[in-house]
C-alpha cells in the first residue's frame, strides 16, 4: 500500500517517488488548449488525467498550485479566423467559453490559474531579451531564434541527440536562421496579423515561449511537475526547458515530466488533421452525462493508448447506472483510506482505482450505511456520483423517444398479445421498448417499467 506518490518521470524514464521542492507549495504546470476549434475527446484526456493528479496531490499535500495556460495567439488561430471570416477575438472568446463548459461537463476542478498568452507578451519579450543578452539567442531580419547548440542538455527529455537533430533538420529551409535546428522565439507580424511592439519590431512570440514565461510568473524558475500529452515532448517541452534554463540560469526547470498517451479511434490518434474527432461539445449537447466520458477516460492507465468506441461508453454508462442505485445524496462524505486511494498514488493507476470502486460497491450494495458512505465518498473523490440522482435519471429520460402515454399503450398492447398467447409479438414489443430505453418487468401479475 503506497503512502507516497509515485510518478513516471519522462526526464529519467523511470517511475520515481514524488518529492516536492516545498511540501507547503506543490507546483504543477500543464499545457492547455490552443483555442481555435472546439476541443475533442483526445484533448479531454489530459484534462481528466491531470485533474486526477491534482486531486491526488491535494490529498497528500496542504497546498497545491495548478496552472494551465490558454494559447490564444498562434498561427492556427490566425489562419482559422481568416478562413472563416471571423475576428481573432470573436473566435478565441467563443472557444475559451466552450472549453470552460467542457471542463465543467467533465467534472474537472478549475486550476488555480489559467493565464492567457496574449496577457503575458511583455514577459515573453523580457525573456527573449535575456536570452539574447546571455548569448543563447540571436536576431535576424526581425526574427529572434534560440540557438540550440548553445544549450548542451538539449534533447535530454526526448532522448534525442543534438548531432542527429542537426542532421535530421537539414532539409528545413529558412533564410533567417543560422542553423536549421534553431527555433523561433519572436517573429514579425504583418498588418493583418496580431502583433505587439518589441525591440525587433511589431511581432508575436513563437509558441514555446509562452509556457516558459507564464510558468516562471506563476510557479517560479523551478517547480515540481510539468504535464501534457506525449505529442508535446518534442519539440514543445524540449524547447521550454532550453528557454527557461538558459534564461533563468538554473540547473532544472520542472523536476517531473508527466505525459499522457494518445486517445485513438480504430488505433489512429484522434486529431483534427486526421479528420477523426469527436468534440466534447457533441456529448455535452447530447443526452449523456460528463461522468460517463470521464469514466471512459479513466478506464486505461494514462501511459497506455486508449481506443475510443461505443461499447466502452455503454459499459461505463451501465456501471455508473448500477452505482447510482446505491447513491444517497443525504450521506455525508467521509475520508477515504490510504488502502483505497493506493492505486492512484502508484503512478495514477486509474483502472486499479476503478477496480477498488467495484469492490467497495459489492460491500455497499447490501451493506451498512457506513459501507455506502465509503463507496460514495470514494466515487466522489474522482468525480463520480457528482450529479443528483434525478439529474442522472433525466439523461436516461431524454434518451427515450417515447412519451409515458405511448409507453403505457405499448405495454397494454403487449399484455393483450400475451393474453392471446402471441408470445412472439409480446417479445417484439418488449425488445422495441428496450431499444427505445425502456425496461419492463412483470411483477406480481402487473407490468412495471423504468428507464433503462
Ligand atoms: P492542443 O490544443 O492541440 O495543443 O492540445 C491540447 C492537449 O491535448 C495537449 O496536451 C495535447 O498533447 C493533448 N492531445 C491532443 N490530441 C490528443 C489525443 N489524441 N490523445 C491524447 N491527448 C491529446
Ligand atoms: Zn506548453
Amino acid at each position: 500500500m503506497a503512502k507516497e506518490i509515485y510518478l513516471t518521470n519522462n526526464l529519467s524514464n523511470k517511475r520515481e517517488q514524488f518529492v516536492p521542492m516545498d511540501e507547503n507549495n506543490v507546483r504543477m504546470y500543464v499545457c492547455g488548449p490552443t483555442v481555435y476549434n472546439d476541443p475533442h475527446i483526445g484533448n479531454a484526456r489530459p484534462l481528466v488525467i491531470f485533474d486526477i493528479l491534482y486531486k491526488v496531490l491535494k490529498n497528500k499535500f496542504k497546498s497545491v498550485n495548478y496552472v494551465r495556460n490558454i494559447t490564444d495567439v498562434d498561427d492556427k488561430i490566425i489562419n482559422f479566423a481568416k478562413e472563416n471570416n471571423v475576428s481573432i477575438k470573436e473566435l478565441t472568446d467563443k472557444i475559451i467559453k466552450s472549453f470552460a463548459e467542457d471542463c465543467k461537463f467533465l467534472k474537472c476542478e478549475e486550476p488555480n490559474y489559467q493565464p492567457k498568452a496574449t496577457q503575458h507578451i511583455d514577459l515573453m519579450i523580457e525573456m527573449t531579451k535575456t536570452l539574447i543578452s546571455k548569448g543563447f539567442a540571436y536576431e535576424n531580419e526581425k526574427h529572434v531564434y534560440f540557438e540550440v547548440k548553445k544549450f548542451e542538455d538539449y534533447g535530454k527529455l526526448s532522448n534525442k541527440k543534438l548531432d542527429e537533430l542537426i542532421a535530421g533538420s537539414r532539409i528545413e529551409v529558412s533564410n533567417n536562421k543560422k542553423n536549421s535546428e534553431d527555433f523561433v522565439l519572436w517573429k514579425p507580424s504583418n498588418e493583418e496579423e496580431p502583433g505587439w511592439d518589441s525591440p525587433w519590431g511589431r511581432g508575436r512570440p513563437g509558441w514555446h515561449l509562452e509556457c516558459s514565461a507564464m510558468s516562471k510568473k506563476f510557479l517560479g524558475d523551478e517547480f515540481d511537475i510539468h504535464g501534457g500529452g506525449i505529442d508535446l515532448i518534442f519539440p514543445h517541452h524540449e524547447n521550454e526547458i532550453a528557454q527557461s534554463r538558459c534564461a533563468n540560469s538554473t540547473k532544472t526547470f520542472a523536476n517531473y515530466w508527466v505525459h499522457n498517451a494518445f486517445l485513438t479511434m480504430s488505433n489512429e490518434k484522434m486529431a483534427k488533421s486526421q479528420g477523426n474527432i469527436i468534440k466534447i461539445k457533441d456529448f455535452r449537447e447530447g443526452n449523456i452525462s460528463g461522468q460517463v466520458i470521464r469514466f471512459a477516460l479513466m478506464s486505461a492507465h494514462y501511459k497506455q493508448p486508449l481506443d475510443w468506441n461505443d461499447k466502452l461508453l455503454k459499459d461505463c454508462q451501465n456501471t455508473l447506472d448500477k452505482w447510482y442505485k446505491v447513491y444517497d445524496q443525504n450521506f455525508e462524505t467521509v475520508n477515504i483510506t490510504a488502502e483505497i486511494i493506493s492505486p492512484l498514488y502508484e503512478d495514477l493507476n486509474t483502472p486499479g482505482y476503478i477496480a477498488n470502486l467495484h469492490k467497495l460497491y459489492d460491500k455497499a450494495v447490501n451493506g451498512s450505511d457506513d459501507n455506502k458512505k465509503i463507496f460514495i465518498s470514494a466515487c466522489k473523490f474522482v468525480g463520480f456520483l457528482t450529479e443528483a440522482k434525478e439529474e442522472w435519471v433525466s439523461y436516461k429520460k431524454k434518451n427515450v423517444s417515447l412519451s409515458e402515454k405511448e409507453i403505457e399503450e405499448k405495454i397494454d398492447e403487449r399484455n393483450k398479445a400475451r393474453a392471446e398467447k402471441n408470445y412472439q409479438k409480446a417479445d417484439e414489443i418488449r425488445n422495441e421498448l428496450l431499444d427505445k430505453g425502456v425496461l419492463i418487468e412483470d411483477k406480481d401479475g402487473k407490468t412495471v417499467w423504468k428507464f433503462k
Side-chain angles (χ1 to χ4, degrees):
M1 184 176 55
K3 290 233 164 82
E4 302 299 335
I5 296 171
Y6 291 83
L7 292 170
T8 300
N9 186 355
N10 274 332
L11 202 54
S12 61
N13 274 319
K14 284 195 189 107
R15 188 180 279 206
E16 294 175 4
Q17 184 183 331
F18 173 67
V19 184
M21 296 170 78
D22 175 359
E23 291 222 343
N24 295 313
N25 181 19
V26 177
R27 287 160 290 159
M28 171 163 80
Y29 185 97
V30 176
C31 295
T34 306
V35 285
Y36 71 104
N37 213 335
D38 292 306
H40 55 73
I41 44 171
N43 303 134
R45 195 169 189 195
L47 292 177
V48 169
I49 291 301
F50 290 101
D51 181 60
I52 301 280
L53 180 53
Y54 183 40
K55 288 172 162 54
V56 170
L57 293 170
K58 283 198 294 178
N59 180 265
K60 182 160 173 74
F61 300 103
K62 265 202 284 294
S63 164
V64 182
N65 206 343
Y66 171 23
V67 178
R68 185 181 60 215
N69 68 304
I70 292 176
T71 303
D72 58 350
V73 53
D74 181 83
D75 287 355
K76 284 189 226 155
I77 299 175
I78 297 172
N79 294 338
F80 191 93
K82 204 169 165 187
E83 279 160 24
N84 292 278
N85 220 4
V86 286
S87 74
I88 287 178
K89 170 111 179 66
E90 219 178 312
L91 173 65
T92 54
D93 280 355
K94 183 177 135 214
I95 302 297
I96 289 170
K97 190 162 167 275
S98 180
F99 173 73
E101 283 171 25
D102 286 346
C103 292
K104 224 171 166 187
F105 169 72
L106 293 167
K107 319 292 169 206
C108 293
E109 287 180 63
E110 275 193 23
N112 303 76
Y113 298 100
Q114 296 195 71
K116 290 181 189 155
T118 51
Q119 289 172 355
H120 296 88
I121 303 288
D122 52 339
L123 299 182
M124 296 182 224
I125 292 174
E126 270 319 299
M127 193 172 258
T128 305
K129 283 204 252 176
T130 307
L131 286 168
I132 294 174
S133 69
K134 288 187 174 177
F136 292 106
Y138 58 91
E139 183 197 358
N140 193 9
E141 299 284 334
K142 299 184 178 168
H143 290 72
V144 183
Y145 292 99
F146 184 94
E147 192 163 0
V148 166
K149 65 168 177 274
K150 295 268 175 80
F151 178 52
E152 60 178 22
D153 279 349
Y154 195 85
K156 285 261 162 74
L157 176 69
S158 53
N159 287 319
K160 290 186 194 294
K161 295 211 165 58
L162 192 52
D163 296 352
E164 290 165 14
L165 279 172
I166 293 170
S169 60
R170 242 172 230 154
I171 18 154
E172 203 182 308
V173 188
S174 169
N175 296 329
N176 304 311
K177 289 187 198 179
K178 272 203 238 172
N179 317 291
S180 53
E181 70 280 8
D182 297 347
F183 62 88
V184 73
L185 297 172
W186 190 263
K187 58 185 172 189
S189 294
N190 66 30
E191 269 172 25
E192 285 173 13
E193 291 166 340
W196 290 262
D197 290 333
S198 82
W200 320 286
R202 186 178 171 278
R204 61 191 191 276
W207 168 40
H208 316 296
L209 193 56
E210 67 176 86
C211 293
S212 286
M214 293 191 286
S215 62
K216 180 180 169 76
K217 173 174 172 184
F218 291 96
L219 301 177
D221 293 353
E222 294 172 298
F223 55 93
D224 299 303
I225 300 173
H226 197 312
I230 41 169
D231 52 338
L232 300 186
I233 295 177
F234 187 84
H236 184 55
H237 288 165
E238 199 68 74
N239 292 354
E240 278 188 41
I241 294 173
Q243 295 162 161
S244 293
R245 283 189 47 198
C246 294
N248 302 328
S249 303
T250 50
K251 277 218 169 76
T252 65
F253 171 41
N255 290 327
Y256 298 83
W257 288 82
V258 181
H259 297 100
N260 64 272
F262 288 137
L263 183 131
T264 59
M265 229 159 44
S266 306
N267 298 314
E268 288 225 30
K269 180 194 172 193
M270 180 170 285
K272 270 160 269 186
S273 54
Q274 297 278 353
N276 63 350
I277 62 164
I278 308 176
K279 293 177 176 178
I280 305 170
K281 188 176 156 192
D282 293 340
F283 289 115
R284 177 156 56 77
E285 291 177 349
N287 295 324
I288 191 161
S289 161
Q291 292 179 79
V292 178
I293 312 300
R294 189 174 173 91
F295 200 121
L297 291 167
M298 285 173 59
S299 67
H301 189 264
Y302 76 94
K303 302 275 301 164
Q304 300 298 325
L306 168 62
D307 204 45
W308 194 262
N309 55 66
D310 287 345
K311 182 174 180 308
L312 172 69
L313 274 193
K314 196 89 216 132
D315 289 348
C316 296
Q317 170 123 12
N318 289 342
T319 303
L320 280 169
D321 201 38
K322 188 172 86 172
W323 290 359
Y324 256 102
K325 300 215 166 85
V326 298
Y327 177 50
D328 185 333
Q329 55 217 56
N330 296 317
F331 282 161
E332 91 253 38
T333 21
V334 292
N335 283 338
I336 48 173
T337 61
E339 193 184 346
I340 295 172
I341 205 171
S342 186
L344 294 180
Y345 271 44
E346 288 167 28
D347 202 16
L348 290 185
N349 178 4
T350 48
Y353 190 79
I354 290 172
N356 276 356
L357 292 179
H358 280 291
K359 284 186 216 146
L360 293 175
Y361 167 82
D362 289 341
K363 279 195 200 157
V365 70
N366 292 314
S368 65
D369 281 0
D370 278 347
N371 286 335
K372 288 195 172 97
K373 276 182 206 166
I374 294 168
F375 169 66
I376 293 166
S377 306
C379 281
K380 281 186 182 288
F381 180 74
V382 287
F384 301 149
L385 308 187
T386 44
E387 287 164 316
K389 217 172 200 165
E390 300 81 64
E391 213 173 321
W392 176 259
V393 174
S394 77
Y395 291 112
K396 296 201 287 177
K397 277 190 195 161
K398 281 190 230 153
N399 277 320
V400 173
S401 47
L402 297 169
S403 68
E404 296 200 6
K405 188 165 165 274
E406 283 168 321
I407 296 169
E408 298 291 352
E409 280 169 7
K410 287 274 168 205
I411 290 174
D412 284 349
E413 211 183 310
R414 175 173 170 268
N415 285 342
K416 221 180 267 166
R418 289 204 316 162
E420 289 163 5
K421 298 205 171 7
N422 187 350
Y423 296 113
Q424 193 187 338
K425 185 169 179 200
D427 281 350
E428 275 168 18
I429 296 170
R430 175 199 282 270
N431 290 339
E432 185 192 338
L433 284 168
L434 201 59
D435 279 350
K436 290 179 174 161
V438 177
L439 187 70
I440 55 174
E441 257 178 285
D442 299 313
K443 246 189 201 163
D444 308 326
K446 268 175 69 186
T447 306
V448 290
W449 67 269
K450 58 185 179 182
F451 296 112
K452 193 169 66 169

